[in-house]
Amino acid sequence: MNYFYIYLQLIHSLFKSTSCFAGRCICQHNTAGDNCEKCAKGFYGNALQGTAYDCKVCPCPNQGACMQIKDDVVICLECPKGYSGEFCLEIITQNIFYC
């Protein structure tokens, strides 16, 4: 298998949907990074597949960041204050005392 050829095809598909100037790209389709190689904050998926649907909206409150840890498992990384859990649905009930 020619990995260099696959790499070139991947780069070609990536740049078909972006505009690059001076080493930086104007990312589209909810992608981010210097070469649009990752999903933007608030989105998850594989940005390098080359389609407009690679980065999906995170299922988190306030468009918080998330991460895909398995094929179909997505967890929220930035829960609002007082909440926790995979989708920020669990209320933190610990006793907090302020002085």
Side-chain angles (χ1 to χ4, degrees):
M1 181 176 267
N2 187 341
Y3 290 107
F4 182 71
Y5 175 76
I6 294 171
Y7 175 75
L8 289 177
Q9 291 296 319
L10 179 66
I11 295 300
H12 175 70
S13 69
L14 177 66
F15 288 115
K16 279 194 309 190
S17 62
T18 61
S19 298
C20 299
F21 304 99
R24 292 202 53 130
C25 298
I26 299 170
C27 300
Q28 299 176 9
H29 310 299
N30 307 311
T31 58
D34 289 343
N35 298 303
C36 307
E37 72 278 5
K38 60 185 177 180
C39 293
K41 181 180 176 183
F43 295 86
Y44 72 96
N46 181 356
L48 298 177
Q49 291 179 341
T51 74
Y53 309 102
D54 296 341
C55 296
K56 300 164 191 66
V57 176
C58 288
C60 305
N62 304 326
Q63 296 182 335
C66 69
M67 181 174 75
Q68 188 170 6
I69 57 173
K70 291 184 182 176
D71 291 338
D72 295 329
V73 179
V74 177
I75 60 170
C76 298
L77 301 175
E78 300 172 347
C79 292
K81 186 175 182 178
Y83 291 87
S84 68
E86 289 181 8
F87 298 108
C88 303
L89 298 175
E90 300 170 21
I91 297 173
I92 298 173
T93 59
Q94 66 185 3
N95 293 328
I96 301 175
F97 297 98
Y98 296 98
C99 299

